[in-house]
Amino acid sequence: MKDVALQLKALLFPAIAAIAVLSMEVGIENVRLDAQCTTVGAACPGCGVCSTRVHSSYLRFLADIPSAGRTVELQLRVRRFRCGYAKCPRRTFVEQIPGLTRRHGQRTERLRSILTALLTAVGLALAGRAGSRLAAVLGMSISRSTVLRPVEALPEPEVPMRRVVGVDEYANDGPPAQ
Ligand SMILES: [Zn+2]
């Protein structure tokens, strides 16, 4: 059974070192992954000091990348740690899994990056409400402003500078004098 869990981990989270897949439930339309972080402790985001003093734990539910037509929900057990550094302003903090979660995020980082790329493309092609309608067809509930946000975050296109050619340049571009 442990081998299966390791294989699942390698298949589902090849880039995430500190995660263990505890179980997987495959339904007709969705997959639920039950996972947890495998590190002993975590670094406090306030002071950077590592803590192993677990305060409590709870479940986070994160949307992950769909798989073979099924939506995927990651049910992640996360721990809240006490920060042991006396001068730190934070008393407790919740662990994050680098490359997978962020504070208050409701999607995994990989789903977030795909959605951002998709929304940028959709937003550029079909700004605002039309983009929002297309997202609804794709099974994602996304507002008009969310469609436009990644587009607004894009850097301004560079306007090519028109090169002014002086009369002297023309004179110098000619074949070298014999
Ligand atoms: Zn701290």
Side-chain angles (χ1 to χ4, degrees):
M1 191 59 203
K2 193 159 191 185
D3 283 353
V4 175
L6 285 175
Q7 282 172 7
L8 270 181
K9 190 264 166 212
L11 177 71
L12 301 167
F13 301 103
I16 312 290
I19 193 169
V21 179
L22 306 176
S23 68
M24 181 172 76
E25 265 178 47
V26 181
I28 295 167
E29 291 180 345
N30 54 16
V31 175
R32 205 183 70 195
L33 300 173
D34 192 5
Q36 68 183 33
C37 188
T38 55
T39 57
V40 178
C44 169
C47 63
V49 174
C50 194
S51 171
T52 56
R53 294 166 60 199
V54 178
H55 171 276
S56 54
S57 74
Y58 62 95
L59 291 176
R60 278 182 75 177
F61 300 92
L62 300 157
D64 197 10
I65 300 172
S67 171
R70 292 178 172 90
T71 58
V72 176
E73 184 184 58
L74 178 62
Q75 184 177 288
L76 191 65
R77 179 159 290 280
V78 293
R79 297 164 291 178
R80 178 177 285 280
F81 289 93
R82 289 180 206 280
C83 180
Y85 184 49
K87 289 180 184 166
C88 181
R90 302 187 72 137
R91 310 287 292 275
T92 67
F93 64 92
V94 176
E95 67 185 343
Q96 302 296 335
I97 299 182
L100 191 70
T101 67
R102 69 168 59 190
R103 206 173 166 211
H104 303 312
Q106 295 181 340
R107 301 180 175 106
T108 59
E109 291 297 276
R110 55 191 183 183
L111 178 60
R112 170 190 286 271
S113 61
I114 286 177
L115 279 181
T116 304
L118 179 68
L119 287 180
T120 305
V122 167
L124 284 172
L126 310 164
R129 201 164 293 145
S132 172
R133 278 202 297 267
L134 176 62
V137 171
L138 295 172
M140 298 178 285
S141 170
I142 291 160
S143 72
R144 181 178 173 275
S145 60
T146 308
V147 171
L148 289 176
R149 207 174 300 134
V151 178
E152 282 158 4
L154 286 176
E156 288 293 317
E158 274 185 35
V159 179
M161 291 287 285
R162 201 166 281 169
R163 189 162 161 265
V164 179
V165 180
V167 176
D168 289 347
E169 272 185 85
Y170 272 114
N172 292 336
D173 278 351
Q178 295 293 320

